[in-house]
Amino acid sequence: MKTELLTATDQGLARAAEILRGQGLVAFATETVYGLGGDARSDLAVARIFDAKARPRFNPLIVHVPDLATAERFAHFDARARQVAAAFWPGPITLVLPLLHEAGLSPLVTADLDTVAIRIPAHPAAVALLRAFGGPLAAPSANPSGRVSPTRAAHVMDALSGRIDAVLDGGNCAVGVESTILGLAETPVLLRQGGVPQEALEALLGPLSIGGNSDKPNAPGQLLSHYAPRAGLRLNATIATATEVLIGFGPQSAGQAALNLSPKGDLVEAAAALFHVLRVADEMAGADKSIAVAPIPELGLGRAINDRLRRAAAPRS
Ligand code: TXA
Ligand code: MG
């Protein structure tokens, strides 16, 4: 198939909605990363998402909706869930809540769990697409499973052109790391570090317990490797060896590193740059070099950056 590159004009949105209604796949920009969207009520569309990504089937997907009223058709919100939603939606946080089984989501989306992961994105093109389509969109990050997530339309085209129907170009993603995932089905648990920092959540909810590997809610501890470039990766590097490409952070890397996530040491800027810089470093490394990354402070968005870097550096299976 030929992948159409669409823009978020009335015409582009109408075409994207038409593809989605025909159970096709449209990758679209959100403020975190590009998602690979399909109708969350259609087994066929959801199966196509797994196939295009070559993704393990037991890994459930996030359901994207345009507003809280729509979210409440698919998940049960208690007072605490409403409080978190009011504070952070629309925005880069996903809530795992009790599933309303009668709401008609494909069981492939939830991997037959009794919970559903749901999010209201803030990116205007994502919201416009959800409204034009008029239904819930299942959307994992629009990259082949295990690889670096896309933050530009060109990243999606590079990896998935020919495998999906369209890409809706919404520019470069402003946040740059995936949404924070907060489990609220029982006691609050932070399942994935992401675009809403742990500190901001804890200011609202008090100290949070940290969950295991949310990439495998059914099979804890497997497949730590994720977000991986082709080249190997070494963390907390201050200088590179002759066979490494160094990704720096902050003014202390000036003059040391060819690439820098944020020359002024800003974690928000570094998160927005992360996945693109990993791709550039991977190209520079080629077949015979590996990548080294400078230390990133473990606070705010640095927590999500370090989480993705640790997985990128994990042993490959
Ligand atoms: O920022 C994001 O969240 C992006 C954009 C496109 O919205 N999406 C994204 O989706 O990162 P994905 O599929 O790459 O990650 C979804 C994560 C997975 O780790 C999955 O295991 C977890 O959400 N998840 C989904 N449903 C769950 C559930 N019911 N319980 C626990 N974890 C769940
Ligand atoms: Mg992903």
Side-chain angles (χ1 to χ4, degrees), residues 40-53:
R41 301 160 300 191
S42 159
D43 292 338
L44 177 60
V46 178
R48 282 180 171 156
I49 293 175
F50 288 117
D51 185 54
K53 280 182 64 87

PDB file of all heavy atoms in Angstrom, residues 40-53:
ATOM      1  N   ALA A  40     -10.691   1.785  17.997  1.00  0.00           N
ATOM      2  CA  ALA A  40     -10.526   0.933  19.179  1.00  0.00           C
ATOM      3  C   ALA A  40     -11.698  -0.029  19.364  1.00  0.00           C
ATOM      4  O   ALA A  40     -11.650  -0.903  20.227  1.00  0.00           O
ATOM      5  CB  ALA A  40     -10.352   1.802  20.433  1.00  0.00           C
ATOM      6  N   ARG A  41     -12.766   0.123  18.566  1.00  0.00           N
ATOM      7  CA  ARG A  41     -13.912  -0.794  18.659  1.00  0.00           C
ATOM      8  C   ARG A  41     -13.800  -1.923  17.638  1.00  0.00           C
ATOM      9  O   ARG A  41     -14.616  -2.851  17.652  1.00  0.00           O
ATOM     10  CB  ARG A  41     -15.212  -0.019  18.415  1.00  0.00           C
ATOM     11  CG  ARG A  41     -15.422   1.118  19.421  1.00  0.00           C
ATOM     12  CD  ARG A  41     -16.404   2.142  18.893  1.00  0.00           C
ATOM     13  NE  ARG A  41     -15.915   2.734  17.639  1.00  0.00           N
ATOM     14  CZ  ARG A  41     -16.462   3.802  17.052  1.00  0.00           C
ATOM     15  NH1 ARG A  41     -17.506   4.399  17.614  1.00  0.00           N
ATOM     16  NH2 ARG A  41     -15.965   4.267  15.923  1.00  0.00           N
ATOM     17  N   SER A  42     -12.825  -1.837  16.735  1.00  0.00           N
ATOM     18  CA  SER A  42     -12.727  -2.793  15.621  1.00  0.00           C
ATOM     19  C   SER A  42     -11.589  -3.787  15.837  1.00  0.00           C
ATOM     20  O   SER A  42     -10.416  -3.407  15.900  1.00  0.00           O
ATOM     21  CB  SER A  42     -12.486  -2.008  14.321  1.00  0.00           C
ATOM     22  OG  SER A  42     -11.924  -2.845  13.339  1.00  0.00           O
ATOM     23  N   ASP A  43     -11.950  -5.075  15.928  1.00  0.00           N
ATOM     24  CA  ASP A  43     -10.910  -6.108  16.057  1.00  0.00           C
ATOM     25  C   ASP A  43      -9.940  -6.060  14.872  1.00  0.00           C
ATOM     26  O   ASP A  43      -8.738  -6.222  15.036  1.00  0.00           O
ATOM     27  CB  ASP A  43     -11.536  -7.513  16.102  1.00  0.00           C
ATOM     28  CG  ASP A  43     -12.341  -7.746  17.382  1.00  0.00           C
ATOM     29  OD1 ASP A  43     -12.094  -7.047  18.374  1.00  0.00           O
ATOM     30  OD2 ASP A  43     -13.207  -8.633  17.352  1.00  0.00           O
ATOM     31  N   LEU A  44     -10.488  -5.817  13.678  1.00  0.00           N
ATOM     32  CA  LEU A  44      -9.645  -5.815  12.485  1.00  0.00           C
ATOM     33  C   LEU A  44      -8.643  -4.664  12.533  1.00  0.00           C
ATOM     34  O   LEU A  44      -7.441  -4.851  12.287  1.00  0.00           O
ATOM     35  CB  LEU A  44     -10.509  -5.719  11.218  1.00  0.00           C
ATOM     36  CG  LEU A  44      -9.742  -5.642   9.897  1.00  0.00           C
ATOM     37  CD1 LEU A  44      -8.869  -6.876   9.698  1.00  0.00           C
ATOM     38  CD2 LEU A  44     -10.700  -5.460   8.720  1.00  0.00           C
ATOM     39  N   ALA A  45      -9.118  -3.460  12.846  1.00  0.00           N
ATOM     40  CA  ALA A  45      -8.217  -2.305  12.900  1.00  0.00           C
ATOM     41  C   ALA A  45      -7.129  -2.517  13.948  1.00  0.00           C
ATOM     42  O   ALA A  45      -5.946  -2.231  13.702  1.00  0.00           O
ATOM     43  CB  ALA A  45      -9.017  -1.033  13.213  1.00  0.00           C
ATOM     44  N   VAL A  46      -7.518  -3.045  15.120  1.00  0.00           N
ATOM     45  CA  VAL A  46      -6.533  -3.232  16.196  1.00  0.00           C
ATOM     46  C   VAL A  46      -5.531  -4.326  15.812  1.00  0.00           C
ATOM     47  O   VAL A  46      -4.327  -4.180  16.049  1.00  0.00           O
ATOM     48  CB  VAL A  46      -7.239  -3.537  17.538  1.00  0.00           C
ATOM     49  CG1 VAL A  46      -6.213  -3.789  18.628  1.00  0.00           C
ATOM     50  CG2 VAL A  46      -8.158  -2.375  17.925  1.00  0.00           C
ATOM     51  N   ALA A  47      -6.029  -5.379  15.176  1.00  0.00           N
ATOM     52  CA  ALA A  47      -5.110  -6.432  14.716  1.00  0.00           C
ATOM     53  C   ALA A  47      -4.112  -5.864  13.706  1.00  0.00           C
ATOM     54  O   ALA A  47      -2.934  -6.227  13.693  1.00  0.00           O
ATOM     55  CB  ALA A  47      -5.898  -7.593  14.105  1.00  0.00           C
ATOM     56  N   ARG A  48      -4.591  -4.938  12.869  1.00  0.00           N
ATOM     57  CA  ARG A  48      -3.689  -4.312  11.885  1.00  0.00           C
ATOM     58  C   ARG A  48      -2.597  -3.489  12.580  1.00  0.00           C
ATOM     59  O   ARG A  48      -1.466  -3.418  12.094  1.00  0.00           O
ATOM     60  CB  ARG A  48      -4.486  -3.406  10.948  1.00  0.00           C
ATOM     61  CG  ARG A  48      -5.228  -4.195   9.890  1.00  0.00           C
ATOM     62  CD  ARG A  48      -6.016  -3.262   8.980  1.00  0.00           C
ATOM     63  NE  ARG A  48      -6.540  -4.000   7.842  1.00  0.00           N
ATOM     64  CZ  ARG A  48      -7.603  -3.641   7.133  1.00  0.00           C
ATOM     65  NH1 ARG A  48      -8.248  -2.519   7.436  1.00  0.00           N
ATOM     66  NH2 ARG A  48      -8.013  -4.371   6.132  1.00  0.00           N
ATOM     67  N   ILE A  49      -2.948  -2.841  13.698  1.00  0.00           N
ATOM     68  CA  ILE A  49      -1.932  -2.078  14.446  1.00  0.00           C
ATOM     69  C   ILE A  49      -0.823  -3.018  14.916  1.00  0.00           C
ATOM     70  O   ILE A  49       0.370  -2.755  14.716  1.00  0.00           O
ATOM     71  CB  ILE A  49      -2.559  -1.354  15.665  1.00  0.00           C
ATOM     72  CG1 ILE A  49      -3.529  -0.262  15.214  1.00  0.00           C
ATOM     73  CG2 ILE A  49      -1.458  -0.769  16.552  1.00  0.00           C
ATOM     74  CD1 ILE A  49      -4.285   0.409  16.370  1.00  0.00           C
ATOM     75  N   PHE A  50      -1.221  -4.128  15.547  1.00  0.00           N
ATOM     76  CA  PHE A  50      -0.219  -5.085  16.042  1.00  0.00           C
ATOM     77  C   PHE A  50       0.651  -5.598  14.895  1.00  0.00           C
ATOM     78  O   PHE A  50       1.860  -5.739  15.028  1.00  0.00           O
ATOM     79  CB  PHE A  50      -0.902  -6.265  16.735  1.00  0.00           C
ATOM     80  CG  PHE A  50      -1.496  -5.922  18.077  1.00  0.00           C
ATOM     81  CD1 PHE A  50      -2.867  -6.021  18.290  1.00  0.00           C
ATOM     82  CD2 PHE A  50      -0.701  -5.498  19.119  1.00  0.00           C
ATOM     83  CE1 PHE A  50      -3.428  -5.716  19.519  1.00  0.00           C
ATOM     84  CE2 PHE A  50      -1.244  -5.189  20.356  1.00  0.00           C
ATOM     85  CZ  PHE A  50      -2.612  -5.293  20.554  1.00  0.00           C
ATOM     86  N   ASP A  51       0.004  -5.850  13.751  1.00  0.00           N
ATOM     87  CA  ASP A  51       0.730  -6.393  12.606  1.00  0.00           C
ATOM     88  C   ASP A  51       1.721  -5.370  12.041  1.00  0.00           C
ATOM     89  O   ASP A  51       2.874  -5.702  11.769  1.00  0.00           O
ATOM     90  CB  ASP A  51      -0.284  -6.817  11.533  1.00  0.00           C
ATOM     91  CG  ASP A  51       0.404  -7.503  10.377  1.00  0.00           C
ATOM     92  OD1 ASP A  51       1.141  -8.474  10.629  1.00  0.00           O
ATOM     93  OD2 ASP A  51       0.226  -7.062   9.234  1.00  0.00           O
ATOM     94  N   ALA A  52       1.281  -4.118  11.897  1.00  0.00           N
ATOM     95  CA  ALA A  52       2.153  -3.082  11.330  1.00  0.00           C
ATOM     96  C   ALA A  52       3.374  -2.847  12.215  1.00  0.00           C
ATOM     97  O   ALA A  52       4.463  -2.562  11.733  1.00  0.00           O
ATOM     98  CB  ALA A  52       1.375  -1.778  11.140  1.00  0.00           C
ATOM     99  N   LYS A  53       3.178  -2.946  13.544  1.00  0.00           N
ATOM    100  CA  LYS A  53       4.276  -2.717  14.490  1.00  0.00           C
ATOM    101  C   LYS A  53       5.078  -3.984  14.768  1.00  0.00           C
ATOM    102  O   LYS A  53       6.112  -3.917  15.437  1.00  0.00           O
ATOM    103  CB  LYS A  53       3.716  -2.234  15.832  1.00  0.00           C
ATOM    104  CG  LYS A  53       3.362  -0.774  15.904  1.00  0.00           C
ATOM    105  CD  LYS A  53       2.873  -0.412  17.290  1.00  0.00           C
ATOM    106  CE  LYS A  53       3.899  -0.555  18.383  1.00  0.00           C
ATOM    107  NZ  LYS A  53       4.754   0.609  18.606  1.00  0.00           N
TER     108      LYS A  53
END
